[in-house]
Amino acid sequence: MRARWMAGLALLALPGAAGARAPAPTPAPTVEQVVVVMRHGVRPPTKDPAMPAGFASQAWPAWPVAPGWLTPHGARAVGLLGTADARLFKAQGLLPARGCPAPGRLVVVADSDQRTIATAQAWTRTLAPGCAVKADHLAQDVEDPRFNAIAHGLAPFDPAAVDAGVAQAVGPGGLAARDAQMQPLTARLNAILCGAAKTGCGVNHKPTSIAPATPGQKPKLAGTLDRASTAAQILLLEYAEGKPMHDVGWGRASAADVTALSQFHALEFALLARPRAVAAPGFAGLAPIVRQGLTGPARITMIAGHDTNVANLAGLIDAHWQVPGFAADDPAPGGAFIIERLRGTGGRPLVRVRYRAQTLDAIRTLAPRAPVSVPVPLPACALPGQPMVCPLDKFLALLG
């Protein structure tokens, strides 16, 4: 009996025998390098007062830092991202398990605004604690052409093509149709901004318009959608900062309102930052940094920039995402594209992209849980049957 049982086991072990062990799964691609294109953390409005008179019926809440600066709360939230990113990068072998990365293996580039410099510092302090990581940035408030490439002529800029791309993004019916589409949200935003005031308040003093592009100058949004995007972003930042709810929209805005109204911010980028004719020249100053980060000696490259930079890159690679608390495609404070260079089968270099961000409530409460990581399809260059993976050369070509 035992002999027959052993013989049966031997038969099952033969190639092709019924019940033979399935082939070993294809090993996961090795992550060789990453580039992080990140929006700065939570800041106050960039102006004081936050908006001109006539848009809100009451004074805007105070902030603990100068207009546009990263707040201490925002720095702590970014620090949590650095901790989470470090955990993953160590597991991928991009950071040493102990000690500091070797010189040249971690590259950090920041725009020259205080909020971007401070974001880079907050992230590196927790990504590589105790390590002397110096960010590449100009002196504070000295304009960096890499982050304002169109104005500095770093790439060809065709105003006619830009205007045509924007018109296509606006869609049938033009801006009047967009205003009508957003009217229910506009009414809700006005109720928050105005409270009991019935006249002389709100964002829809003028219909939406777009000033056309000119040489060296992007098209500019004005009117209802412009003011609504600004006001909605201010309310979101108030909530993300952890302000008491009586200070978020003067106590008239709920968390659900903040999330719904962020559609205005996402729409502004869909119209003016994502069309390829403006996205390619807009990202031209940062594209070489991304290329170098995916082909040079660094294992990790981080760019601390702005929501516009994230939206430009999203337009170039046709990326879409959503994180709880934000509208679809709205760049979150501290949110980033994580671009991974992979070694595929046979050593072929591939690229995979994900969008990494904290939920809005996690930013507000400084919850130390893992951030959301959204895999991003790459329809413009994906391999057949593999929508999330793109050959490196084709990905780099998308950058323009």
PDB file of all heavy atoms in Angstrom, residues 31-36 81-97 105-106 123 127-128 299-302 336-340 354 356:
ATOM      1  N   VAL A  31      12.160  47.591  -9.180  1.00  0.00           N
ATOM      2  CA  VAL A  31      12.165  49.050  -9.243  1.00  0.00           C
ATOM      3  C   VAL A  31      13.607  49.522  -9.090  1.00  0.00           C
ATOM      4  O   VAL A  31      14.261  49.259  -8.085  1.00  0.00           O
ATOM      5  CB  VAL A  31      11.279  49.668  -8.142  1.00  0.00           C
ATOM      6  CG1 VAL A  31      11.306  51.190  -8.237  1.00  0.00           C
ATOM      7  CG2 VAL A  31       9.849  49.159  -8.261  1.00  0.00           C
ATOM      8  N   GLU A  32      14.110  50.197 -10.107  1.00  0.00           N
ATOM      9  CA  GLU A  32      15.507  50.635 -10.124  1.00  0.00           C
ATOM     10  C   GLU A  32      15.673  52.104  -9.733  1.00  0.00           C
ATOM     11  O   GLU A  32      16.680  52.475  -9.120  1.00  0.00           O
ATOM     12  CB  GLU A  32      16.104  50.407 -11.507  1.00  0.00           C
ATOM     13  CG  GLU A  32      16.129  48.942 -11.918  1.00  0.00           C
ATOM     14  CD  GLU A  32      16.777  48.726 -13.271  1.00  0.00           C
ATOM     15  OE1 GLU A  32      16.421  49.470 -14.211  1.00  0.00           O
ATOM     16  OE2 GLU A  32      17.638  47.844 -13.374  1.00  0.00           O
ATOM     17  N   GLN A  33      14.717  52.947 -10.102  1.00  0.00           N
ATOM     18  CA  GLN A  33      14.799  54.386  -9.821  1.00  0.00           C
ATOM     19  C   GLN A  33      13.384  54.930  -9.666  1.00  0.00           C
ATOM     20  O   GLN A  33      12.433  54.365 -10.226  1.00  0.00           O
ATOM     21  CB  GLN A  33      15.508  55.127 -10.970  1.00  0.00           C
ATOM     22  CG  GLN A  33      16.974  54.776 -11.142  1.00  0.00           C
ATOM     23  CD  GLN A  33      17.527  55.269 -12.474  1.00  0.00           C
ATOM     24  OE1 GLN A  33      17.202  54.736 -13.518  1.00  0.00           O
ATOM     25  NE2 GLN A  33      18.370  56.282 -12.414  1.00  0.00           N
ATOM     26  N   VAL A  34      13.252  56.019  -8.935  1.00  0.00           N
ATOM     27  CA  VAL A  34      11.968  56.705  -8.851  1.00  0.00           C
ATOM     28  C   VAL A  34      12.172  58.202  -8.978  1.00  0.00           C
ATOM     29  O   VAL A  34      13.199  58.752  -8.561  1.00  0.00           O
ATOM     30  CB  VAL A  34      11.200  56.402  -7.541  1.00  0.00           C
ATOM     31  CG1 VAL A  34      10.862  54.946  -7.415  1.00  0.00           C
ATOM     32  CG2 VAL A  34      11.965  56.894  -6.331  1.00  0.00           C
ATOM     33  N   VAL A  35      11.168  58.851  -9.565  1.00  0.00           N
ATOM     34  CA  VAL A  35      11.090  60.306  -9.603  1.00  0.00           C
ATOM     35  C   VAL A  35       9.769  60.705  -8.961  1.00  0.00           C
ATOM     36  O   VAL A  35       8.713  60.156  -9.319  1.00  0.00           O
ATOM     37  CB  VAL A  35      11.175  60.850 -11.035  1.00  0.00           C
ATOM     38  CG1 VAL A  35      10.985  62.373 -11.040  1.00  0.00           C
ATOM     39  CG2 VAL A  35      12.515  60.489 -11.672  1.00  0.00           C
ATOM     40  N   VAL A  36       9.818  61.623  -8.021  1.00  0.00           N
ATOM     41  CA  VAL A  36       8.647  62.083  -7.280  1.00  0.00           C
ATOM     42  C   VAL A  36       8.376  63.527  -7.705  1.00  0.00           C
ATOM     43  O   VAL A  36       9.207  64.406  -7.460  1.00  0.00           O
ATOM     44  CB  VAL A  36       8.896  62.017  -5.756  1.00  0.00           C
ATOM     45  CG1 VAL A  36       7.651  62.464  -4.990  1.00  0.00           C
ATOM     46  CG2 VAL A  36       9.324  60.612  -5.341  1.00  0.00           C
ATOM     47  N   LEU A  81       4.439  61.964   4.999  1.00  0.00           N
ATOM     48  CA  LEU A  81       4.649  61.404   3.665  1.00  0.00           C
ATOM     49  C   LEU A  81       6.085  60.928   3.501  1.00  0.00           C
ATOM     50  O   LEU A  81       6.333  59.867   2.904  1.00  0.00           O
ATOM     51  CB  LEU A  81       4.321  62.454   2.603  1.00  0.00           C
ATOM     52  CG  LEU A  81       2.848  62.790   2.425  1.00  0.00           C
ATOM     53  CD1 LEU A  81       2.690  64.025   1.538  1.00  0.00           C
ATOM     54  CD2 LEU A  81       2.094  61.617   1.811  1.00  0.00           C
ATOM     55  N   GLY A  82       7.047  61.699   4.005  1.00  0.00           N
ATOM     56  CA  GLY A  82       8.437  61.287   3.921  1.00  0.00           C
ATOM     57  C   GLY A  82       8.682  59.970   4.635  1.00  0.00           C
ATOM     58  O   GLY A  82       9.408  59.097   4.143  1.00  0.00           O
ATOM     59  N   THR A  83       8.063  59.812   5.797  1.00  0.00           N
ATOM     60  CA  THR A  83       8.200  58.552   6.543  1.00  0.00           C
ATOM     61  C   THR A  83       7.630  57.379   5.756  1.00  0.00           C
ATOM     62  O   THR A  83       8.249  56.308   5.661  1.00  0.00           O
ATOM     63  CB  THR A  83       7.492  58.673   7.901  1.00  0.00           C
ATOM     64  OG1 THR A  83       8.107  59.725   8.664  1.00  0.00           O
ATOM     65  CG2 THR A  83       7.571  57.373   8.678  1.00  0.00           C
ATOM     66  N   ALA A  84       6.437  57.577   5.180  1.00  0.00           N
ATOM     67  CA  ALA A  84       5.806  56.503   4.408  1.00  0.00           C
ATOM     68  C   ALA A  84       6.595  56.185   3.144  1.00  0.00           C
ATOM     69  O   ALA A  84       6.786  55.014   2.791  1.00  0.00           O
ATOM     70  CB  ALA A  84       4.372  56.897   4.055  1.00  0.00           C
ATOM     71  N   ASP A  85       7.070  57.219   2.455  1.00  0.00           N
ATOM     72  CA  ASP A  85       7.860  56.987   1.247  1.00  0.00           C
ATOM     73  C   ASP A  85       9.155  56.250   1.579  1.00  0.00           C
ATOM     74  O   ASP A  85       9.583  55.353   0.839  1.00  0.00           O
ATOM     75  CB  ASP A  85       8.173  58.315   0.558  1.00  0.00           C
ATOM     76  CG  ASP A  85       6.948  58.963  -0.073  1.00  0.00           C
ATOM     77  OD1 ASP A  85       5.925  58.267  -0.257  1.00  0.00           O
ATOM     78  OD2 ASP A  85       7.015  60.166  -0.378  1.00  0.00           O
ATOM     79  N   ALA A  86       9.784  56.615   2.688  1.00  0.00           N
ATOM     80  CA  ALA A  86      11.033  55.947   3.085  1.00  0.00           C
ATOM     81  C   ALA A  86      10.802  54.461   3.324  1.00  0.00           C
ATOM     82  O   ALA A  86      11.631  53.621   2.936  1.00  0.00           O
ATOM     83  CB  ALA A  86      11.607  56.604   4.335  1.00  0.00           C
ATOM     84  N   ARG A  87       9.696  54.141   3.956  1.00  0.00           N
ATOM     85  CA  ARG A  87       9.395  52.728   4.227  1.00  0.00           C
ATOM     86  C   ARG A  87       9.319  51.936   2.921  1.00  0.00           C
ATOM     87  O   ARG A  87       9.888  50.843   2.805  1.00  0.00           O
ATOM     88  CB  ARG A  87       8.078  52.636   5.005  1.00  0.00           C
ATOM     89  CG  ARG A  87       7.763  51.256   5.551  1.00  0.00           C
ATOM     90  CD  ARG A  87       6.460  51.277   6.348  1.00  0.00           C
ATOM     91  NE  ARG A  87       6.500  52.243   7.441  1.00  0.00           N
ATOM     92  CZ  ARG A  87       5.733  53.317   7.538  1.00  0.00           C
ATOM     93  NH1 ARG A  87       4.824  53.566   6.600  1.00  0.00           N
ATOM     94  NH2 ARG A  87       5.827  54.131   8.554  1.00  0.00           N
ATOM     95  N   LEU A  88       8.643  52.505   1.927  1.00  0.00           N
ATOM     96  CA  LEU A  88       8.519  51.813   0.646  1.00  0.00           C
ATOM     97  C   LEU A  88       9.861  51.778  -0.089  1.00  0.00           C
ATOM     98  O   LEU A  88      10.255  50.734  -0.630  1.00  0.00           O
ATOM     99  CB  LEU A  88       7.471  52.511  -0.217  1.00  0.00           C
ATOM    100  CG  LEU A  88       7.304  51.944  -1.625  1.00  0.00           C
ATOM    101  CD1 LEU A  88       6.870  50.475  -1.577  1.00  0.00           C
ATOM    102  CD2 LEU A  88       6.306  52.766  -2.426  1.00  0.00           C
ATOM    103  N   PHE A  89      10.564  52.900  -0.124  1.00  0.00           N
ATOM    104  CA  PHE A  89      11.826  52.946  -0.867  1.00  0.00           C
ATOM    105  C   PHE A  89      12.866  51.995  -0.270  1.00  0.00           C
ATOM    106  O   PHE A  89      13.680  51.424  -0.996  1.00  0.00           O
ATOM    107  CB  PHE A  89      12.362  54.371  -0.900  1.00  0.00           C
ATOM    108  CG  PHE A  89      11.498  55.348  -1.667  1.00  0.00           C
ATOM    109  CD1 PHE A  89      11.621  56.717  -1.461  1.00  0.00           C
ATOM    110  CD2 PHE A  89      10.557  54.909  -2.600  1.00  0.00           C
ATOM    111  CE1 PHE A  89      10.838  57.609  -2.157  1.00  0.00           C
ATOM    112  CE2 PHE A  89       9.761  55.803  -3.301  1.00  0.00           C
ATOM    113  CZ  PHE A  89       9.907  57.163  -3.083  1.00  0.00           C
ATOM    114  N   LYS A  90      12.837  51.817   1.041  1.00  0.00           N
ATOM    115  CA  LYS A  90      13.743  50.841   1.654  1.00  0.00           C
ATOM    116  C   LYS A  90      13.358  49.427   1.244  1.00  0.00           C
ATOM    117  O   LYS A  90      14.231  48.602   0.941  1.00  0.00           O
ATOM    118  CB  LYS A  90      13.725  50.994   3.173  1.00  0.00           C
ATOM    119  CG  LYS A  90      14.433  52.239   3.674  1.00  0.00           C
ATOM    120  CD  LYS A  90      14.331  52.383   5.185  1.00  0.00           C
ATOM    121  CE  LYS A  90      15.030  53.654   5.656  1.00  0.00           C
ATOM    122  NZ  LYS A  90      14.925  53.838   7.129  1.00  0.00           N
ATOM    123  N   ALA A  91      12.072  49.146   1.215  1.00  0.00           N
ATOM    124  CA  ALA A  91      11.629  47.815   0.801  1.00  0.00           C
ATOM    125  C   ALA A  91      11.999  47.541  -0.654  1.00  0.00           C
ATOM    126  O   ALA A  91      12.266  46.388  -1.032  1.00  0.00           O
ATOM    127  CB  ALA A  91      10.118  47.687   0.998  1.00  0.00           C
ATOM    128  N   GLN A  92      12.028  48.594  -1.477  1.00  0.00           N
ATOM    129  CA  GLN A  92      12.394  48.437  -2.885  1.00  0.00           C
ATOM    130  C   GLN A  92      13.908  48.456  -3.109  1.00  0.00           C
ATOM    131  O   GLN A  92      14.360  48.271  -4.241  1.00  0.00           O
ATOM    132  CB  GLN A  92      11.744  49.547  -3.714  1.00  0.00           C
ATOM    133  CG  GLN A  92      10.219  49.448  -3.775  1.00  0.00           C
ATOM    134  CD  GLN A  92       9.590  50.652  -4.447  1.00  0.00           C
ATOM    135  OE1 GLN A  92      10.115  51.773  -4.392  1.00  0.00           O
ATOM    136  NE2 GLN A  92       8.457  50.432  -5.101  1.00  0.00           N
ATOM    137  N   GLY A  93      14.672  48.716  -2.042  1.00  0.00           N
ATOM    138  CA  GLY A  93      16.124  48.768  -2.176  1.00  0.00           C
ATOM    139  C   GLY A  93      16.655  50.079  -2.710  1.00  0.00           C
ATOM    140  O   GLY A  93      17.836  50.188  -3.054  1.00  0.00           O
ATOM    141  N   LEU A  94      15.809  51.106  -2.761  1.00  0.00           N
ATOM    142  CA  LEU A  94      16.239  52.411  -3.264  1.00  0.00           C
ATOM    143  C   LEU A  94      16.924  53.241  -2.188  1.00  0.00           C
ATOM    144  O   LEU A  94      17.714  54.143  -2.499  1.00  0.00           O
ATOM    145  CB  LEU A  94      15.040  53.179  -3.816  1.00  0.00           C
ATOM    146  CG  LEU A  94      14.284  52.485  -4.956  1.00  0.00           C
ATOM    147  CD1 LEU A  94      13.016  53.257  -5.295  1.00  0.00           C
ATOM    148  CD2 LEU A  94      15.167  52.344  -6.184  1.00  0.00           C
ATOM    149  N   LEU A  95      16.598  52.980  -0.938  1.00  0.00           N
ATOM    150  CA  LEU A  95      17.253  53.600   0.214  1.00  0.00           C
ATOM    151  C   LEU A  95      17.912  52.508   1.036  1.00  0.00           C
ATOM    152  O   LEU A  95      17.365  51.396   1.128  1.00  0.00           O
ATOM    153  CB  LEU A  95      16.238  54.338   1.096  1.00  0.00           C
ATOM    154  CG  LEU A  95      15.791  55.741   0.721  1.00  0.00           C
ATOM    155  CD1 LEU A  95      14.731  56.216   1.714  1.00  0.00           C
ATOM    156  CD2 LEU A  95      16.958  56.721   0.675  1.00  0.00           C
ATOM    157  N   PRO A  96      19.065  52.789   1.647  1.00  0.00           N
ATOM    158  CA  PRO A  96      19.665  51.777   2.525  1.00  0.00           C
ATOM    159  C   PRO A  96      18.794  51.536   3.751  1.00  0.00           C
ATOM    160  O   PRO A  96      18.115  52.449   4.233  1.00  0.00           O
ATOM    161  CB  PRO A  96      21.012  52.389   2.899  1.00  0.00           C
ATOM    162  CG  PRO A  96      20.837  53.861   2.704  1.00  0.00           C
ATOM    163  CD  PRO A  96      19.860  54.021   1.580  1.00  0.00           C
ATOM    164  N   ALA A  97      18.800  50.313   4.247  1.00  0.00           N
ATOM    165  CA  ALA A  97      18.006  49.982   5.431  1.00  0.00           C
ATOM    166  C   ALA A  97      18.448  50.806   6.629  1.00  0.00           C
ATOM    167  O   ALA A  97      17.642  51.134   7.499  1.00  0.00           O
ATOM    168  CB  ALA A  97      18.103  48.496   5.733  1.00  0.00           C
ATOM    169  N   ARG A 105      22.837  59.769  -4.847  1.00  0.00           N
ATOM    170  CA  ARG A 105      21.765  58.780  -4.977  1.00  0.00           C
ATOM    171  C   ARG A 105      20.394  59.356  -4.656  1.00  0.00           C
ATOM    172  O   ARG A 105      19.376  58.812  -5.061  1.00  0.00           O
ATOM    173  CB  ARG A 105      22.044  57.578  -4.071  1.00  0.00           C
ATOM    174  CG  ARG A 105      23.264  56.779  -4.491  1.00  0.00           C
ATOM    175  CD  ARG A 105      23.033  56.134  -5.842  1.00  0.00           C
ATOM    176  NE  ARG A 105      24.078  55.201  -6.208  1.00  0.00           N
ATOM    177  CZ  ARG A 105      24.004  54.325  -7.200  1.00  0.00           C
ATOM    178  NH1 ARG A 105      22.905  54.279  -7.936  1.00  0.00           N
ATOM    179  NH2 ARG A 105      24.996  53.521  -7.483  1.00  0.00           N
ATOM    180  N   LEU A 106      20.338  60.453  -3.901  1.00  0.00           N
ATOM    181  CA  LEU A 106      19.088  61.142  -3.579  1.00  0.00           C
ATOM    182  C   LEU A 106      19.226  62.591  -4.025  1.00  0.00           C
ATOM    183  O   LEU A 106      20.070  63.331  -3.514  1.00  0.00           O
ATOM    184  CB  LEU A 106      18.798  61.071  -2.078  1.00  0.00           C
ATOM    185  CG  LEU A 106      17.616  61.908  -1.562  1.00  0.00           C
ATOM    186  CD1 LEU A 106      16.309  61.509  -2.241  1.00  0.00           C
ATOM    187  CD2 LEU A 106      17.489  61.774  -0.039  1.00  0.00           C
ATOM    188  N   TRP A 123      10.141  66.898   3.904  1.00  0.00           N
ATOM    189  CA  TRP A 123      10.111  65.544   3.339  1.00  0.00           C
ATOM    190  C   TRP A 123      11.443  64.832   3.558  1.00  0.00           C
ATOM    191  O   TRP A 123      11.481  63.686   3.993  1.00  0.00           O
ATOM    192  CB  TRP A 123       9.775  65.637   1.861  1.00  0.00           C
ATOM    193  CG  TRP A 123       9.567  64.339   1.155  1.00  0.00           C
ATOM    194  CD1 TRP A 123       8.466  63.536   1.199  1.00  0.00           C
ATOM    195  CD2 TRP A 123      10.481  63.701   0.257  1.00  0.00           C
ATOM    196  NE1 TRP A 123       8.637  62.439   0.384  1.00  0.00           N
ATOM    197  CE2 TRP A 123       9.855  62.513  -0.210  1.00  0.00           C
ATOM    198  CE3 TRP A 123      11.756  64.015  -0.209  1.00  0.00           C
ATOM    199  CZ2 TRP A 123      10.478  61.653  -1.118  1.00  0.00           C
ATOM    200  CZ3 TRP A 123      12.370  63.165  -1.111  1.00  0.00           C
ATOM    201  CH2 TRP A 123      11.735  61.989  -1.546  1.00  0.00           C
ATOM    202  N   LEU A 127      12.408  61.355   5.379  1.00  0.00           N
ATOM    203  CA  LEU A 127      12.828  60.326   4.427  1.00  0.00           C
ATOM    204  C   LEU A 127      14.206  59.789   4.793  1.00  0.00           C
ATOM    205  O   LEU A 127      14.449  58.581   4.756  1.00  0.00           O
ATOM    206  CB  LEU A 127      12.861  60.889   3.009  1.00  0.00           C
ATOM    207  CG  LEU A 127      13.203  59.867   1.934  1.00  0.00           C
ATOM    208  CD1 LEU A 127      11.938  59.210   1.414  1.00  0.00           C
ATOM    209  CD2 LEU A 127      13.979  60.504   0.780  1.00  0.00           C
ATOM    210  N   ALA A 128      15.115  60.692   5.138  1.00  0.00           N
ATOM    211  CA  ALA A 128      16.493  60.303   5.457  1.00  0.00           C
ATOM    212  C   ALA A 128      16.919  61.060   6.715  1.00  0.00           C
ATOM    213  O   ALA A 128      17.699  62.009   6.646  1.00  0.00           O
ATOM    214  CB  ALA A 128      17.419  60.623   4.286  1.00  0.00           C
ATOM    215  N   ARG A 299      19.102  57.255  -7.447  1.00  0.00           N
ATOM    216  CA  ARG A 299      18.059  56.244  -7.226  1.00  0.00           C
ATOM    217  C   ARG A 299      16.714  56.906  -6.967  1.00  0.00           C
ATOM    218  O   ARG A 299      15.672  56.370  -7.343  1.00  0.00           O
ATOM    219  CB  ARG A 299      18.421  55.349  -6.026  1.00  0.00           C
ATOM    220  CG  ARG A 299      19.778  54.681  -6.113  1.00  0.00           C
ATOM    221  CD  ARG A 299      19.887  53.714  -7.281  1.00  0.00           C
ATOM    222  NE  ARG A 299      18.909  52.647  -7.279  1.00  0.00           N
ATOM    223  CZ  ARG A 299      18.997  51.529  -6.545  1.00  0.00           C
ATOM    224  NH1 ARG A 299      20.028  51.353  -5.724  1.00  0.00           N
ATOM    225  NH2 ARG A 299      18.080  50.594  -6.623  1.00  0.00           N
ATOM    226  N   ILE A 300      16.731  58.064  -6.293  1.00  0.00           N
ATOM    227  CA  ILE A 300      15.504  58.804  -5.958  1.00  0.00           C
ATOM    228  C   ILE A 300      15.705  60.259  -6.358  1.00  0.00           C
ATOM    229  O   ILE A 300      16.707  60.878  -5.969  1.00  0.00           O
ATOM    230  CB  ILE A 300      15.187  58.722  -4.455  1.00  0.00           C
ATOM    231  CG1 ILE A 300      15.021  57.265  -4.005  1.00  0.00           C
ATOM    232  CG2 ILE A 300      13.936  59.535  -4.119  1.00  0.00           C
ATOM    233  CD1 ILE A 300      15.015  57.109  -2.489  1.00  0.00           C
ATOM    234  N   THR A 301      14.768  60.807  -7.119  1.00  0.00           N
ATOM    235  CA  THR A 301      14.761  62.234  -7.462  1.00  0.00           C
ATOM    236  C   THR A 301      13.416  62.793  -7.040  1.00  0.00           C
ATOM    237  O   THR A 301      12.371  62.236  -7.387  1.00  0.00           O
ATOM    238  CB  THR A 301      14.971  62.447  -8.967  1.00  0.00           C
ATOM    239  OG1 THR A 301      16.223  61.888  -9.364  1.00  0.00           O
ATOM    240  CG2 THR A 301      14.946  63.939  -9.317  1.00  0.00           C
ATOM    241  N   MET A 302      13.441  63.887  -6.301  1.00  0.00           N
ATOM    242  CA  MET A 302      12.192  64.511  -5.851  1.00  0.00           C
ATOM    243  C   MET A 302      12.152  65.951  -6.325  1.00  0.00           C
ATOM    244  O   MET A 302      13.132  66.686  -6.184  1.00  0.00           O
ATOM    245  CB  MET A 302      12.096  64.464  -4.328  1.00  0.00           C
ATOM    246  CG  MET A 302      10.767  64.986  -3.782  1.00  0.00           C
ATOM    247  SD  MET A 302      10.777  66.751  -3.443  1.00  0.00           S
ATOM    248  CE  MET A 302       9.685  66.834  -2.044  1.00  0.00           C
ATOM    249  N   ALA A 336       1.650  63.592  -5.091  1.00  0.00           N
ATOM    250  CA  ALA A 336       2.760  63.465  -6.039  1.00  0.00           C
ATOM    251  C   ALA A 336       2.529  62.340  -7.022  1.00  0.00           C
ATOM    252  O   ALA A 336       1.902  61.322  -6.698  1.00  0.00           O
ATOM    253  CB  ALA A 336       4.067  63.206  -5.283  1.00  0.00           C
ATOM    254  N   PHE A 337       3.062  62.516  -8.219  1.00  0.00           N
ATOM    255  CA  PHE A 337       3.264  61.402  -9.124  1.00  0.00           C
ATOM    256  C   PHE A 337       4.560  60.704  -8.739  1.00  0.00           C
ATOM    257  O   PHE A 337       5.607  61.350  -8.624  1.00  0.00           O
ATOM    258  CB  PHE A 337       3.347  61.870 -10.574  1.00  0.00           C
ATOM    259  CG  PHE A 337       2.019  62.186 -11.195  1.00  0.00           C
ATOM    260  CD1 PHE A 337       1.739  63.449 -11.664  1.00  0.00           C
ATOM    261  CD2 PHE A 337       1.045  61.212 -11.306  1.00  0.00           C
ATOM    262  CE1 PHE A 337       0.512  63.753 -12.233  1.00  0.00           C
ATOM    263  CE2 PHE A 337      -0.189  61.489 -11.871  1.00  0.00           C
ATOM    264  CZ  PHE A 337      -0.454  62.760 -12.334  1.00  0.00           C
ATOM    265  N   ILE A 338       4.484  59.407  -8.530  1.00  0.00           N
ATOM    266  CA  ILE A 338       5.665  58.588  -8.295  1.00  0.00           C
ATOM    267  C   ILE A 338       5.930  57.836  -9.601  1.00  0.00           C
ATOM    268  O   ILE A 338       5.153  56.952  -9.983  1.00  0.00           O
ATOM    269  CB  ILE A 338       5.465  57.591  -7.139  1.00  0.00           C
ATOM    270  CG1 ILE A 338       4.920  58.299  -5.896  1.00  0.00           C
ATOM    271  CG2 ILE A 338       6.754  56.847  -6.841  1.00  0.00           C
ATOM    272  CD1 ILE A 338       5.869  59.242  -5.228  1.00  0.00           C
ATOM    273  N   ILE A 339       6.991  58.202 -10.283  1.00  0.00           N
ATOM    274  CA  ILE A 339       7.349  57.592 -11.564  1.00  0.00           C
ATOM    275  C   ILE A 339       8.462  56.585 -11.296  1.00  0.00           C
ATOM    276  O   ILE A 339       9.545  56.953 -10.835  1.00  0.00           O
ATOM    277  CB  ILE A 339       7.826  58.659 -12.562  1.00  0.00           C
ATOM    278  CG1 ILE A 339       6.806  59.797 -12.677  1.00  0.00           C
ATOM    279  CG2 ILE A 339       8.101  58.038 -13.925  1.00  0.00           C
ATOM    280  CD1 ILE A 339       7.330  61.020 -13.407  1.00  0.00           C
ATOM    281  N   GLU A 340       8.195  55.318 -11.561  1.00  0.00           N
ATOM    282  CA  GLU A 340       9.138  54.244 -11.256  1.00  0.00           C
ATOM    283  C   GLU A 340       9.747  53.691 -12.542  1.00  0.00           C
ATOM    284  O   GLU A 340       9.020  53.348 -13.479  1.00  0.00           O
ATOM    285  CB  GLU A 340       8.436  53.106 -10.515  1.00  0.00           C
ATOM    286  CG  GLU A 340       7.817  53.527  -9.195  1.00  0.00           C
ATOM    287  CD  GLU A 340       7.002  52.416  -8.558  1.00  0.00           C
ATOM    288  OE1 GLU A 340       6.376  51.633  -9.299  1.00  0.00           O
ATOM    289  OE2 GLU A 340       6.985  52.337  -7.320  1.00  0.00           O
ATOM    290  N   ARG A 354       2.249  55.999 -10.400  1.00  0.00           N
ATOM    291  CA  ARG A 354       1.128  56.018  -9.467  1.00  0.00           C
ATOM    292  C   ARG A 354       1.018  57.412  -8.870  1.00  0.00           C
ATOM    293  O   ARG A 354       1.985  58.187  -8.884  1.00  0.00           O
ATOM    294  CB  ARG A 354       1.296  54.968  -8.358  1.00  0.00           C
ATOM    295  CG  ARG A 354       2.577  55.071  -7.585  1.00  0.00           C
ATOM    296  CD  ARG A 354       2.831  53.834  -6.715  1.00  0.00           C
ATOM    297  NE  ARG A 354       4.134  53.875  -6.090  1.00  0.00           N
ATOM    298  CZ  ARG A 354       4.424  54.491  -4.956  1.00  0.00           C
ATOM    299  NH1 ARG A 354       3.452  55.133  -4.290  1.00  0.00           N
ATOM    300  NH2 ARG A 354       5.639  54.489  -4.440  1.00  0.00           N
ATOM    301  N   ARG A 356       0.332  59.361  -5.436  1.00  0.00           N
ATOM    302  CA  ARG A 356       0.411  59.117  -3.995  1.00  0.00           C
ATOM    303  C   ARG A 356       0.017  60.376  -3.237  1.00  0.00           C
ATOM    304  O   ARG A 356       0.545  61.453  -3.483  1.00  0.00           O
ATOM    305  CB  ARG A 356       1.842  58.689  -3.628  1.00  0.00           C
ATOM    306  CG  ARG A 356       2.039  58.297  -2.183  1.00  0.00           C
ATOM    307  CD  ARG A 356       2.351  59.505  -1.301  1.00  0.00           C
ATOM    308  NE  ARG A 356       3.680  60.046  -1.514  1.00  0.00           N
ATOM    309  CZ  ARG A 356       3.939  61.336  -1.601  1.00  0.00           C
ATOM    310  NH1 ARG A 356       2.963  62.246  -1.541  1.00  0.00           N
ATOM    311  NH2 ARG A 356       5.186  61.764  -1.755  1.00  0.00           N
TER     312      ARG A 356
END
